[in-house]
């Protein structure tokens, strides 16, 4: 009997696997046909779907499409999709379009330039310099940025690019926007070769404030000690925007002077400086800032400052920090925004400890018709990484609306809640559930659960 049972079990597993593969191949075939025969709008919608699902299964087909089409919108969308995910594979086509830019639409060329920058393709450096030497205004901003990104990936090319960018800045008439891109590109290079030039801009009281701010940000990105003195000097500037940028630039640096400058910035009346102080404390995990962050999280008059203070406390992550954040979350008199931010910190970093208590607060918000708070809590709990949310996810599937059921599917995938498979199955019916059915099918695929077609479909 045991042998017979094992045989039946094997047959069932094979059937389930076949059904799942058949369903997957059906979806892939539909997508393949869309890429091959679809209209511009149909292809763009598919690319957006692949992006939202983080689906790489059609990458080869997208590369083939890119190499065969002349459609500007499609080319731009595919370059943007690949570049946004830093996916390689389009480098050769991108270089071809940039080199032959006189015969291509400007939108496509710009997308290709942006792409090589996003994937940090160091072999594109010479081509980008050629674009910059041509002084074609429509491409300069993207090319400066891409040059910094591509050269920063190759230390041997970074030094030469730094010299080129500085020379271009000093010896060419160009727009202020392009000068800002040059400064930012020097920061992307990540080498000390541009530090002296950037210090000269950041420390120059006669220079435009916007350029000084850009130079401070670039110095922070490089993180070379040679720029620290200038950054600290700018912390005391009379210009509030320069002060806030300087404080924000302190994050990568260390030392008593840096810590003191960050702490002092919490007293600044300009709210952006207090935001920058919280962000710098966050980046450095500065425990000395905890009492200041607590004060700001509880009492600052500006919501953005409270947000950044709460996030910093979560990242510093001591027991004291989580006690502060927990107190803020469970205080129901606090604003929705503050409670949602605090809840996100707790669920992101301490989901096992707080998931069940969080769910209770979510139910409380619903019972009191606090719609904005409830929706915010739903969004937060959907990202929780803990099996303790299985009960809530089951409840969402059973009695929730479309949004709640969608969140439940997110929970199922994130936590591999295969036990919810039977509850998700009914939502695969497209006639009844429309767009939710597509998510249900994708969810079951990711969970490795075969999709059972409805009785109505089987009868047909």
């Amino acid at each position: 009997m045991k042998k017979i049972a094992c045989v039946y079990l094997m047959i069932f597993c094979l059937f389930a696997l076949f059904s799942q593969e058949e369903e997957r191949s059906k979806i892939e075939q539909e997508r393949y046909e869309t890429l091959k025969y679809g209209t511009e709008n149909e292809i763009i919608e598919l690319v957006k779907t692949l992006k939202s699902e983080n689906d790489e299964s059609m990458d080869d087909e997208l590369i083939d499409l890119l190499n065969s089409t002349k459609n500007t919108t499609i080319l731009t969308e595919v370059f943007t999709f690949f570049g946004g995910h830093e996916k390689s594979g389009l480098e050769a086509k991108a270089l071809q379009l940039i080199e032959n830019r006189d015969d291509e639409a400007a939108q496509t060329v710009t997308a290709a330039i942006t792409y090589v920058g996003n994937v940090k393709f160091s072999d594109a450096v010479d081509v980008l310099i050629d674009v910059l030497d041509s002084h074609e205004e429509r491409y300069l901003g993207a090319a400066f940025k891409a040059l910094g990104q591509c050269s920063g990936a190759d230390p041997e090319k970074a030094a030469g690019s730094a010299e080129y960018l500085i020379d271009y800045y000093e010896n060419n008439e160009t727009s202020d926007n392009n000068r800002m891109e040059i400064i930012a590109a020097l920061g992307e290079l990540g080498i000390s070769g541009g530090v002296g030039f950037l210090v000269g801009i950041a420390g120059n009281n006669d220079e435009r404030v916007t350029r000084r701010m850009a130079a401070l940000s670039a110095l922070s990105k490089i993180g070379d000690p040679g720029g620290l003195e200038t950054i600290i000097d700018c912390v005391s500037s009379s210009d509030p925007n320069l002060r806030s940028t300087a404080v924000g630039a302190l994050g990568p640096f260390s030392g008593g002077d840096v810590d003191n400058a960050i702490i002092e910035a919490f007293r600044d009346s300009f709210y952006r400086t207090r935001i920058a102080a919280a962000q710098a404390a966050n980046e450095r995990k500065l425990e000395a800032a905890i009492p200041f962050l607590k004060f700001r999280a509880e009492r600052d008059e500006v919501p953005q400052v409270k947000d950044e203070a709460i996030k910093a406390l979560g990242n510093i992550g001591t027991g004291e920090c989580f006690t502060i954040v927990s107190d803020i979350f469970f205080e129901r008199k606090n604003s929705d925004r503050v409670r949602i931010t605090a809840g996100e910190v707790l669920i992101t970093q301490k989901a096992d400890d707080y998931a069940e208590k969080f769910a209770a607060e979510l139910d409380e918000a619903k019972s009191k018709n606090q719609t904005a708070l409830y929706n915010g809590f739903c969004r937060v709990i959907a990202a929780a990484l803990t099996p303790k949310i299985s009960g809530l996810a089951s409840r969402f599937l059973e009695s929730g609306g479309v949004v709640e059921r969608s969140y439940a599917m997110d929970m199922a995938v994130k936590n591999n809640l295969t036990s919810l498979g039977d509850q998700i199955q009914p939502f695969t019916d497209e006639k009844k559930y429309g767009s939710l059915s597509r998510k249900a099918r994708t969810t079951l695929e990711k969970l490795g659960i075969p999709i059972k077609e409805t009785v109505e479909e089987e009868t047909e």
Side-chain angles (χ1 to χ4, degrees):
M1 291 295 290
K2 288 183 178 180
K3 290 183 177 179
I4 294 173
C6 289
V7 170
Y8 277 118
L9 179 61
M10 289 176 63
I11 292 172
F12 173 78
C13 291
L14 288 170
F15 177 76
L17 181 63
F18 175 77
S19 299
Q20 183 181 349
E21 290 298 323
E22 185 178 36
E23 180 61 32
R24 183 182 293 113
S25 63
K26 178 183 176 183
I27 294 174
E28 289 178 353
Q29 182 63 26
E30 289 176 353
R31 290 179 172 183
Y32 172 80
E33 290 174 356
T34 297
L35 291 179
K36 196 169 182 65
Y37 310 115
T39 65
E40 170 187 296
N41 290 338
E42 290 168 343
I43 291 171
I44 289 172
E45 282 304 310
L46 173 55
V47 172
K48 289 179 180 178
T49 299
L50 294 171
K51 181 178 180 180
S52 67
E53 296 176 357
N54 199 23
D55 188 342
E56 300 180 350
S57 64
M58 305 301 293
D59 282 4
D60 290 342
E61 287 77 11
L62 286 168
I63 292 172
D64 290 341
L65 174 63
L66 189 89
N67 288 323
S68 63
T69 187
K70 291 278 189 182
N71 186 292
T72 298
T73 305
I74 293 174
L75 286 168
T76 302
E77 193 70 30
V78 175
F79 272 127
T80 302
F81 171 60
F82 271 66
H85 288 77
E86 298 183 7
K87 294 172 180 277
S88 60
L90 309 181
E91 292 89 342
K93 181 65 174 181
L95 288 184
Q96 177 190 341
L97 291 169
I98 298 169
E99 289 172 340
N100 300 311
R101 57 190 175 278
D102 291 342
D103 301 322
E104 304 292 341
Q107 179 183 354
T108 304
V109 175
T110 301
I113 292 172
T114 301
Y115 170 77
V116 296
N118 285 339
V119 298
K120 298 176 174 59
F121 186 47
S122 61
D123 288 352
V125 168
D126 291 341
V127 176
L128 293 169
I129 287 177
D130 180 63
V131 173
L132 294 170
D133 284 341
S134 71
H135 301 288
E136 295 173 83
E137 184 62 37
R138 55 187 172 174
Y139 302 133
L140 291 183
F144 282 127
K145 182 176 181 178
L147 180 61
Q149 292 170 317
C150 293
S151 300
D154 185 341
E156 293 183 2
K157 294 183 178 181
S161 293
E163 292 178 5
Y164 177 87
L165 290 166
I166 293 170
D167 179 75
Y168 199 107
Y169 188 102
E170 293 178 337
N171 297 307
N172 287 277
E173 290 293 331
T174 191
S175 69
D176 190 56
N177 285 339
N178 287 335
R179 292 188 183 280
M180 298 282 281
E181 290 290 357
I182 291 173
I183 293 169
L186 287 167
E188 291 286 345
L189 295 178
I191 61 171
S192 59
V195 169
F197 173 77
L198 293 169
V199 163
I201 295 174
N204 185 353
N205 292 326
D206 296 326
E207 182 63 87
R208 293 185 182 183
V209 170
T210 52
R211 290 185 193 170
R212 296 181 70 187
M213 291 165 62
L216 287 170
S217 297
L219 287 169
S220 178
K221 196 150 197 174
I222 295 170
D224 188 283
L228 179 57
E229 183 179 350
T230 299
I231 295 174
I232 290 180
D233 286 344
C234 290
V235 170
S236 303
S237 170
S238 60
D239 186 283
N241 291 300
L242 193 64
R243 284 201 311 274
S244 63
T245 303
V247 173
L250 290 171
F253 299 95
S254 60
D257 289 345
V258 176
D259 292 350
N260 291 336
I262 293 171
I263 295 298
E264 192 62 29
F266 282 107
R267 306 180 192 280
D268 199 299
S269 60
F270 185 49
Y271 77 98
R272 290 191 185 279
T273 303
R274 300 196 301 278
I275 289 175
Q279 291 171 339
N282 186 336
E283 186 173 353
R284 290 171 50 74
K285 295 190 175 182
L286 184 60
E287 292 189 24
I290 291 174
F292 292 88
L293 291 167
K294 178 180 186 296
F295 187 90
R296 290 296 140 207
E298 294 175 345
R299 298 172 59 178
D300 203 282
E301 61 188 21
V302 179
Q304 296 97 312
V305 178
K306 289 186 175 183
D307 290 346
E308 295 302 327
I310 292 168
K311 292 174 186 176
L313 287 166
N315 194 44
I316 293 171
T318 65
E320 180 186 4
C321 288
F322 283 113
T323 297
I324 296 167
V325 175
S326 177
D327 289 345
I328 291 171
F329 173 73
F330 288 108
E331 176 49 73
R332 293 175 179 171
K333 293 180 181 179
N334 282 332
S335 69
D336 292 355
R337 174 171 177 162
V338 164
R339 295 191 70 200
I340 291 169
T341 302
E344 193 161 12
V345 168
L346 297 177
I347 290 301
T348 300
Q349 302 197 40
K350 295 281 187 179
D352 284 341
D353 294 339
Y354 288 99
E356 293 170 337
K357 296 176 183 177
F358 189 101
E361 292 301 310
L362 184 148
D363 290 340
E364 173 72 12
K366 185 174 185 178
S367 69
K368 292 186 175 179
N369 294 319
Q370 296 172 302
T371 304
L373 183 63
Y374 178 74
N375 290 339
F377 281 174
C378 285
R379 174 185 60 78
V380 171
I381 198 70
L385 184 59
T386 173
K388 292 185 177 181
I389 60 169
S390 60
L392 179 64
S394 176
R395 182 149 54 88
F396 277 180
L397 289 168
E398 182 179 350
S399 58
V402 173
V403 174
E404 290 163 319
R405 286 168 172 166
S406 178
Y407 281 141
M409 293 178 197
D410 291 335
M411 296 181 206
V413 171
K414 193 171 185 69
N415 294 281
N416 195 33
L417 302 177
T418 55
S419 60
L420 299 178
D422 288 343
Q423 285 186 271
I424 296 172
Q425 286 283 358
F427 299 111
T428 61
D429 187 340
E430 188 170 2
K431 291 181 180 178
K432 288 184 179 179
Y433 297 104
S435 61
L436 188 63
S437 69
R438 292 191 287 277
K439 182 158 188 177
R441 289 172 177 269
T442 302
T443 299
L444 291 175
E445 285 178 17
K446 291 178 178 178
L447 292 174
I449 299 174
I451 298 170
K452 301 174 185 176
E453 301 302 341
T454 63
V455 174
E456 182 180 355
E457 285 176 323
E458 290 172 353
T459 303
E460 291 175 358

